[in-house]
Amino acid sequence: MQNIYWDLLKKNREKSKDRRIETLFQSDKNRFKEFAIEIEDLYFDYSKTNIDSEILKNLIAYAKNLKIMNSINAMFEGEKINVTEKRSALHTALRNFKANDLTNLYKINKKLLVRFKDLSKFCNQIRTGQKKSGSGSKFTDVVNIGIGGSELGPKLVTAALSEYHNGPKIHFVSNIDPSDISKIIKNLDPNKTLFIISSKSFTTTETINNAKKALKWVCEILGSNGLKNFVAVCSAKEKALDFGILKENIFEFDEWVGGRFSIWGPIGLPVMLSIGTDQFKNFLEGASQIDNHFKNEEISYNIPIILALIGFWHSSICQYSSRAILPYDSKLEYLPTYLQQLDMESNGKSVNLNGERINYPTTPVIWGHIGTNSQHAFFQFLHQSNQVIPCEFLLGANCLDNKYYDSHHLQLIVNCLAQSEALMFGIKNETQSKEETNEHRNCDGNKPSTILIYKKITPKILGKLLAIFEHRTFAEGLLWNVNSFDQWGVELGKNIARRLTDSISQKDRNNNFSKSTLNLLNKIREYKYF
């Protein structure tokens, strides 16, 4: 949805495209303060972008012209902002059980509180050994079987909060490739392993096939008692019952919770089992605090919205096609993958909310890895390629409590700051002596980056970080005028896969596939008998 400010921003871009970022610091001695936002234990710096005061003013005006704060309030109030599926997007309710003035939300929060109490009770029973396996043993291991939002969120959070683990060991199975589940269960004891089957529809092909394999593996040893080793997290209770899951082991969530926004509810059961309900509540509390910030803070000081405006500027105005996520914290190893789904599944759209084709790029390609590993993998590309890749750094000011690691962590800090500095300044031939002049050493610099600093990864701070990214994604969708809460493109390949399955199994000898695909199937038949 383009308006007058879009045209102004295009003019801003034309005027500033050859300007070097470092010159902005020369013309504005307070730039490092004015282009930064601090809220409690988070500090967001975006001064190393080519956004100046005029551009920022026009970006904010663009957002205000779209009345995005009205849309944000509509989400929190439970309006059906997911227009293509006629649903609300109330994942924020999963982390806020306080009474709301609106009657319908008050009822929702009361229902969610009851569910959370049931989930907490189950979690405590597993952790204490009160609830035992089909063999009468205490569970020592938990395998989460799920894919997409049913795996990426729990896997990220479980790994990030490893210092807080005091429950059973958590494992994850997602891929339909049989090697994925086999490499996990071969080292486990079926007598002591709990399986969480996470699927919103309880029909996800990868999840159900892996769940059947796990069920067979356990019940070959424990017989029908093996069903005590299985839990379902879904919004399709009847399908879970048909699978054989015991009624008391089914935890439901609602249709208005999108998979990639679902870590805060029953999908977060693996996290709750590993760190306990009290720490999980801290995780929820951190996210809830960002909800209040996002809903109530004015745009200029609103971290998720400013992040969204920067992303919109880089993608749609500057036409930069990708974004690098660079956490300088090994605990956030899975953050880039998590954000790939969150951003690209939400905003990878080419049709606006009115059902019209759009002619501007929306979400960029999301990719990245942890520092300093990433420096030795793809920073050569970031520094010397002729593509401009906006970089988002995340950095903890503190590491492990053990002072023995302080020197290690100092090197992590200086490497992160050095890379953001190098991306901006680069290195030019004129800075080299005549003897050293070598075009191959040139790094042009002028590459934009932001940095988000936090005190240390704790459940509460992690909740804040993930809520910031969730809300940034939604706000970017508003700026692009797309629905961030559907994912119809995901279904296309699944449907074709089902047709191919029927064709292979001769349920339907429909050959309505490309000659390339049919030829590949025939070639595979030569190698393997179906």
Side-chain angles (χ1 to χ4, degrees):
M1 181 184 294
Q2 300 183 21
N3 57 39
I4 185 174
Y5 297 103
W6 187 298
D7 295 331
L8 288 174
L9 289 165
K10 283 288 189 181
K11 292 177 181 177
N12 290 153
R13 168 60 178 167
E14 189 61 29
K15 180 180 176 181
S16 64
K17 65 180 181 180
D18 295 323
R19 178 179 62 193
R20 294 197 62 85
I21 297 170
E22 63 263 30
T23 63
L24 294 172
F25 289 90
Q26 297 166 9
S27 59
D28 182 0
K29 302 303 181 183
N30 291 316
R31 178 175 174 81
F32 72 99
K33 290 182 179 179
E34 294 171 356
F35 288 78
I37 305 172
E38 185 171 19
I39 52 171
E40 294 184 355
D41 40 20
L42 297 175
Y43 186 83
F44 176 60
D45 175 276
Y46 61 107
S47 61
K48 292 191 183 76
T49 66
N50 217 331
I51 295 173
D52 58 27
S53 297
E54 182 182 356
I55 293 170
L56 182 61
K57 180 185 72 174
N58 286 334
L59 283 169
I60 292 172
Y62 175 73
K64 288 181 176 179
N65 185 266
L66 294 177
K67 296 181 172 58
I68 70 166
M69 295 310 298
N70 291 348
S71 299
I72 289 168
N73 287 331
M75 179 184 71
F76 282 102
E77 291 172 6
E79 294 184 22
K80 294 182 179 180
I81 61 171
N82 181 352
V83 294
T84 61
E85 297 177 302
K86 297 180 174 61
R87 295 174 184 168
S88 302
L90 273 174
H91 47 281
T92 55
L94 295 172
R95 56 215 189 202
N96 181 11
F97 302 124
K98 297 175 182 177
N100 193 287
D101 292 336
L102 297 178
T103 304
N104 63 325
L105 288 192
Y106 179 64
K107 290 178 180 178
I108 287 173
N109 288 341
K110 284 180 67 177
K111 178 177 69 174
L112 292 176
L113 181 57
V114 171
R115 288 184 182 175
F116 186 80
K117 287 180 178 178
D118 290 342
L119 200 66
S120 297
K121 180 180 178 181
F122 175 84
C123 175
N124 291 331
Q125 288 175 335
I126 295 293
R127 284 166 55 87
T128 60
Q130 183 180 347
K131 193 173 184 70
K132 300 186 183 299
S133 76
S135 67
S137 303
K138 180 179 179 180
F139 290 109
T140 58
D141 293 86
V142 174
V143 178
N144 185 85
I145 299 178
I147 197 166
S150 298
E151 184 237 9
L152 294 172
K155 189 173 184 178
L156 161 64
V157 177
T158 302
L161 299 180
S162 58
E163 293 177 48
Y164 294 84
H165 288 197
N166 55 11
K169 190 173 181 180
I170 310 296
H171 313 267
F172 291 90
V173 169
S174 57
N175 203 314
I176 202 168
D177 184 336
S179 63
D180 198 27
I181 188 168
S182 65
K183 71 182 179 184
I184 296 295
I185 64 175
K186 71 179 182 181
N187 296 316
L188 301 179
D189 183 348
N191 295 286
K192 300 177 181 179
T193 303
L194 177 72
F195 288 89
I196 303 172
I197 307 171
S198 292
S199 171
K200 187 173 184 177
S201 65
F202 219 76
T203 60
T204 309
T205 301
E206 297 91 340
T207 300
I208 298 304
N209 275 276
N210 280 324
K212 287 178 179 177
K213 179 69 174 179
L215 186 66
K216 181 180 179 182
W217 180 68
V218 172
C219 290
E220 282 179 350
I221 304 297
L222 302 181
S224 60
N225 278 341
L227 290 171
K228 295 181 179 179
N229 291 35
F230 288 82
V231 175
V233 175
C234 64
S235 59
K237 183 177 181 180
E238 294 304 317
K239 286 185 173 63
L241 289 170
D242 290 343
F243 186 88
I245 305 298
L246 302 176
K247 183 178 179 181
E248 62 270 24
N249 283 1
I250 299 174
F251 299 99
E252 297 180 87
F253 62 100
D254 295 276
E255 288 291 336
W256 37 254
V257 178
R260 54 197 177 277
F261 300 93
S262 61
I263 181 61
W264 319 100
I267 289 291
L269 179 57
V271 180
M272 192 181 292
L273 286 168
S274 64
I275 66 175
T277 55
D278 289 341
Q279 292 292 3
F280 192 80
K281 287 178 183 176
N282 289 334
F283 174 63
L284 300 182
E285 175 61 23
S288 184
Q289 288 181 10
I290 293 299
D291 292 343
N292 290 327
H293 169 79
F294 181 54
K295 181 171 59 174
N296 298 316
E297 186 60 79
E298 65 174 281
I299 292 177
S300 302
Y301 304 103
N302 194 307
I303 290 181
I305 296 179
I306 291 296
L307 262 171
L309 289 171
I310 295 168
F312 167 78
W313 166 258
H314 284 152
S315 178
S316 295
I317 306 300
C318 299
Q319 305 274 302
Y320 300 148
S321 61
S322 76
R323 173 189 298 160
I325 306 298
L326 307 167
Y328 272 64
D329 192 329
S330 291
K331 293 186 285 295
L332 297 179
E333 176 183 3
Y334 299 115
L335 180 65
T337 310
Y338 169 83
L339 292 180
Q340 281 179 342
Q341 186 201 24
L342 180 62
D343 285 348
M344 296 168 74
E345 191 167 281
S346 295
N347 293 331
K349 310 289 173 59
S350 58
V351 175
N352 67 19
L353 287 169
N354 302 319
E356 303 162 338
R357 302 287 297 187
I358 57 179
N359 60 359
Y360 49 85
T362 55
T363 193
V365 175
I366 307 298
W367 59 285
H369 193 44
I370 54 171
T372 57
N373 299 48
S374 54
Q375 294 176 198
H376 296 267
F378 53 76
F379 268 58
Q380 161 66 37
F381 167 75
L382 294 178
H383 286 297
Q384 286 198 314
S385 79
N386 57 10
Q387 297 183 49
V388 177
I389 312 296
C391 296
E392 296 186 0
F393 293 92
L394 293 95
L395 178 66
N398 300 284
C399 65
L400 299 167
D401 290 334
N402 192 334
K403 298 297 183 183
Y404 178 77
Y405 293 100
D406 277 354
S407 60
H408 268 61
H409 192 250
L410 176 60
Q411 286 302 307
L412 185 74
I413 290 171
V414 298
N415 269 273
C416 180
L417 298 181
Q419 291 298 332
S420 69
E421 189 88 343
L423 285 166
M424 180 173 69
F425 283 110
I427 181 172
K428 297 292 185 181
N429 270 331
E430 54 264 29
T431 66
Q432 305 170 31
S433 67
K434 290 183 180 180
E435 293 77 16
E436 292 177 326
T437 298
N438 183 341
E439 193 67 27
H440 292 286
R441 293 181 59 187
N442 261 11
C443 295
D444 291 334
N446 214 32
K447 308 289 180 73
S449 69
T450 64
I451 185 164
L452 182 56
I453 296 176
Y454 50 88
K455 287 187 177 180
K456 178 186 174 182
I457 289 294
T458 63
K460 194 170 185 178
I461 287 180
L462 183 62
K464 290 182 179 184
L465 293 177
L466 298 194
I468 284 173
F469 286 117
E470 279 187 352
H471 292 321
R472 185 265 293 274
T473 296
F474 173 45
E476 280 184 325
L478 295 174
L479 297 173
W480 288 315
N481 193 33
V482 299
N483 181 8
S484 299
F485 299 106
D486 65 12
Q487 60 281 329
W488 298 106
V490 177
E491 302 303 317
L492 175 60
K494 291 182 180 180
N495 292 334
I496 296 175
R498 282 190 283 268
R499 286 171 46 215
L500 279 168
T501 300
D502 290 342
S503 180
I504 291 170
S505 62
Q506 299 188 1
K507 292 179 183 177
D508 178 7
R509 296 302 291 177
N510 177 7
N511 289 333
N512 189 24
F513 304 107
S514 71
K515 290 184 178 180
S516 170
T517 296
L518 293 173
N519 179 63
L520 290 169
L521 271 177
N522 289 331
K523 182 58 63 176
I524 292 169
R525 282 190 175 98
E526 291 180 19
Y527 292 160
K528 174 181 178 178
Y529 176 73
F530 283 106

